[in-house]
């Protein structure tokens, strides 16, 4: 049986991204459940807008007071270990936080390319710090400085187009094919848009980067591409918290779970978002998956608390929305199982669909917060030295929730 002496069940959510926030808000609606969310910063990062942060068309952050309900206690700190035997989360800065159930939602960040020179010379957009550094570097570079974007998945395509639309000279190094996750027919409008923006696209077997240097990249076929700034977008890597805590992971470090998102090692640990994996039901690391997995993780815990068996997760995908600069975009439709089909919307309408999708996602968090109450971090037990920043207005607080 779970619960402290008051009968309250303590749930700790580690990670305040799309998965963690949606899980926390859902859990906090339930009487008798106390929710603590641990996140390294007092702001929610809208990762799906980080390529916009680079060019300044969005700041990609929201105050947690906007997206997290009053029923959730926010602790601004980093989890360094999950002590499953003692049921507590060890923090970098503060006292360990005990739990009855834990949501593992630490997300993902930039992958280590494992290519000589990349760690030293390449930038990335996968997390806030990387995107901010890239923006600062570009601001210092002359406008004529050539930029190389490595990787032609969604993040690479969006980043290349965003930069080119602001007048940057961009070369996109695809590795093999432009838009590997897209249907062959849908790659065409993407390629046309990039061509109109003046992006040089390098595709084919030889277009694999083998080295990054201060002055550009070297390709597998021996070609050298000159560039003042290189942005590496290929692949995401998850934090090693689960493995470091002795929990079983897949080879990429994602927490291994069953079809109810429950850790294969511990019935009290449930994953949400990029940092977990259901080997029987693989899913693409995405915001689209994370906002479904967060509430599903919460439901698994709530059912266990109620003494019921949790239900297997069911996910539905609609497609992939790409912004190709601010003025155009491409929406790639898919079957509910995420397999892409030949249907797409491109041009201005495609850009509109992408913007609506971003706003809809944020709205989902905001309405979840409303249902769970307002003004995160106001509960007794919040540490004032850190939580006093929680409700500090940010530039993005000023704009409508959309
Ligand atoms: C530029 C860009 C554009 C994208 N566009 C799209 C898109 O259009 N559609 C789409 O579906 N996906 C998109 N994605 C992918 C999407 O952003 C991620 O898949 C999604 O953010 C995953 O959500 P999450 O909640 O699992 O993790 P995250 O959003 O990564 O959140 C994880 C949180 O956990 C915190 N954390 C990490 N370690 C710890 C720790 N030890 N202790 C405490 N907290 C910790 C992190 O700081 C972070 O706040 C895009 C990604 C990028 C970079």
């Amino acid at each position: 049986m779970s619960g402290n002496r008051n009968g309250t069940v303590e749930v700790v959510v580690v990670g305040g991204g799309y998965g963690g926030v949606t899980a926390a808000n859902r859990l906090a609606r339930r009487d008798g459940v106390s929710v603590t969310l641990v996140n390294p910063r007092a702001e929610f990062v809208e990762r799906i807008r980080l390529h916009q942060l680079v060019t300044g068309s969005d700041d990609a952050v929201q105050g947690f007071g906007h997206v997290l309900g009053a029923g959730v206690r926010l602790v601004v700190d980093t989890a360094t270990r999950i002590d499953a035997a003692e049921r507590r989360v060890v923090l970098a800065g503060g006292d360990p936080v005990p739990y009855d159930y834990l949501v593992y939602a630490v997300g993902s960040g930039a992958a280590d390319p494992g290519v000589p020179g990349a760690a030293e010379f390449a930038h990335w957009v996968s997390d806030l710090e990387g995107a901010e550094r890239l923006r600062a570097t570009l601001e210092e570079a002359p406008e004529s400085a050539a930029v190389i974007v490595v990787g032609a998945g969604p993040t690479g395509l969006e980043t290349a187009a965003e930069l080119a639309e602001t007048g940057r000279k961009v070369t996109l190094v695809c590795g093999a094919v432009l838009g590997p996750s897209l249907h062959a027919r849908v790659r065409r409008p993407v390629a046309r848009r990039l061509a109109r923006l003046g992006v040089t696209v390098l595709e084919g077997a030889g277009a694999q980067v083998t080295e990054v240097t201060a002055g550009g990249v070297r390709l597998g076929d021996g070609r050298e591409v000159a560039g003042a700034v290189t942005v590496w977008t290929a692949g995401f890597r998850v934090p090693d918290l689960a493995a470091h805590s002795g929990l079983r992971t897949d080879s990429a470090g994602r927490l291994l779970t069953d079809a109810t998102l429950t850790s294969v090692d511990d019935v009290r640990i449930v994953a949400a978002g990029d940092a977990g994996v259901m080997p029987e039901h693989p899913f693409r690391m995405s915001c689209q998956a994370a906002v479904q997995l967060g509430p599903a993780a919460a439901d698994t815990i709530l059912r266990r608390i109620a003494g019921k068996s949790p239900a297997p997760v069911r996910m539905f995908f609609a497609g992939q929305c790409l912004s190709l600069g601010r003025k155009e975009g491409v929406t790639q439709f898919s079957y509910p199982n995420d397999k892409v089909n030949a249907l797409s919307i491109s041009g201005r309408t495609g850009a509109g669909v992408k913007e609506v999708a971003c706003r809809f996602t944020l709205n989902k968090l905001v309405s979840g917060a409303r249902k769970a109450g307002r003004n995160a971090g106001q509960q007794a037990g919040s540490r004032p030295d850190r939580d006093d920043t929680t409700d500090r207005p940010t530039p993005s607080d000023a704009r409508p929730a959309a």
Side-chain angles (χ1 to χ4, degrees):
M1 179 60 199
S2 307
N4 60 22
R5 261 177 285 168
N6 307 323
T8 304
V9 178
E10 304 282 346
V11 183
V12 174
V13 178
V14 184
Y18 299 96
V21 165
T22 49
N25 283 340
R26 170 79 64 110
L27 286 159
R29 284 157 58 181
R30 185 63 60 93
D31 287 341
V33 176
S34 166
V35 185
T36 301
L37 184 134
V38 180
N39 194 67
R41 67 176 61 79
E43 287 160 327
F44 173 78
V45 176
E46 271 190 276
R47 276 184 73 199
I48 61 174
R49 290 201 190 266
L50 282 177
H51 57 296
Q52 290 184 246
L53 182 150
V54 173
T55 56
S57 66
D58 199 283
D59 63 7
V61 291
Q62 298 283 337
F64 266 120
H66 207 46
V67 298
L68 204 57
V72 181
R73 180 172 77 107
L74 175 66
V75 172
V76 180
D77 210 326
T78 299
T80 54
R81 193 165 57 86
I82 297 163
D83 182 348
E86 296 291 325
R87 277 201 253 142
R88 56 186 201 152
V89 180
V90 181
L91 302 180
D95 294 335
V97 189
Y99 66 82
D100 295 306
Y101 290 94
L102 180 139
V103 178
Y104 187 76
V106 292
S108 62
D112 174 5
V115 166
E120 200 178 347
F121 299 115
H123 288 264
W124 63 91
V125 292
S126 315
D127 57 36
L128 185 67
E129 294 78 9
E132 284 175 341
R133 243 188 324 266
L134 173 58
R135 182 177 174 172
T137 301
L138 287 168
E139 277 170 359
E140 279 171 22
E143 277 183 24
S144 57
V147 180
I148 300 169
V149 176
V150 184
T155 308
L157 296 173
E158 291 193 315
T159 304
E162 201 79 28
L163 290 169
E165 200 183 56
T166 62
R168 293 278 173 186
K169 181 175 179 298
V170 178
T171 299
L172 179 64
V173 184
C174 299
V177 66
L178 178 92
S181 68
L182 305 176
H183 189 280
R185 261 211 242 164
V186 182
R187 287 179 197 142
R188 289 181 211 155
V190 175
R192 281 198 295 270
R193 169 66 175 156
L194 292 176
R196 279 198 302 277
L197 287 170
V199 176
T200 304
V201 175
L202 303 181
E203 280 189 276
Q208 299 246 345
V209 173
T210 55
E211 188 181 355
V212 183
T213 65
V217 299
R218 187 163 293 123
L219 304 186
D221 58 11
R223 271 179 293 175
E224 301 210 353
V225 184
V229 181
T230 297
V231 189
W232 198 285
T233 69
F236 288 160
R237 178 172 61 174
V238 303
D240 65 357
L241 180 62
H244 177 67
S245 305
L247 298 163
R248 265 180 291 171
T249 63
D250 70 356
S251 58
R254 291 178 296 176
L255 182 74
L256 273 180
T257 75
D258 65 14
T260 71
L261 299 170
T262 306
S263 158
V264 294
D265 293 312
D266 191 324
V267 79
R268 291 176 181 274
I269 298 178
V270 179
D274 286 359
V277 62
M278 297 181 283
E280 308 297 317
H281 306 278
F283 58 88
R284 187 167 45 92
M285 282 190 193
S286 61
C287 167
Q288 202 175 154
V291 294
Q292 299 182 65
L293 293 166
D299 287 347
T300 286
I301 291 172
L302 293 172
R303 286 183 74 88
R304 285 225 167 81
I305 292 170
K308 297 179 185 161
S309 299
V313 175
R314 298 181 65 194
M315 279 193 284
F316 299 95
F317 292 87
Q320 300 169 34
C321 302
L322 303 178
S323 60
L324 297 173
R326 292 301 86 210
K327 298 192 182 91
E328 292 195 27
V330 169
T331 304
Q332 157 75 76
F333 289 98
S334 71
Y335 301 103
N337 65 0
D338 207 25
K339 187 175 176 337
V340 294
N341 56 40
L343 298 178
S344 67
I345 298 174
S346 54
R348 278 196 176 274
T349 315
V353 173
K354 170 72 185 208
E355 183 55 29
V356 166
C358 289
R359 291 180 183 204
F360 175 81
T361 302
L362 184 63
N363 269 345
K364 206 174 155 81
L365 306 190
V366 173
S367 73
R370 275 200 204 104
K371 288 178 190 155
R374 279 189 177 279
N375 301 326
Q378 295 302 296
Q379 270 200 323
S382 298
R383 288 180 297 150
D385 57 333
R386 293 178 180 271
D387 288 338
D388 60 358
T389 57
T390 305
D391 296 317
R392 186 187 300 155
T394 66
S396 44
D397 276 327
R399 73 172 177 241

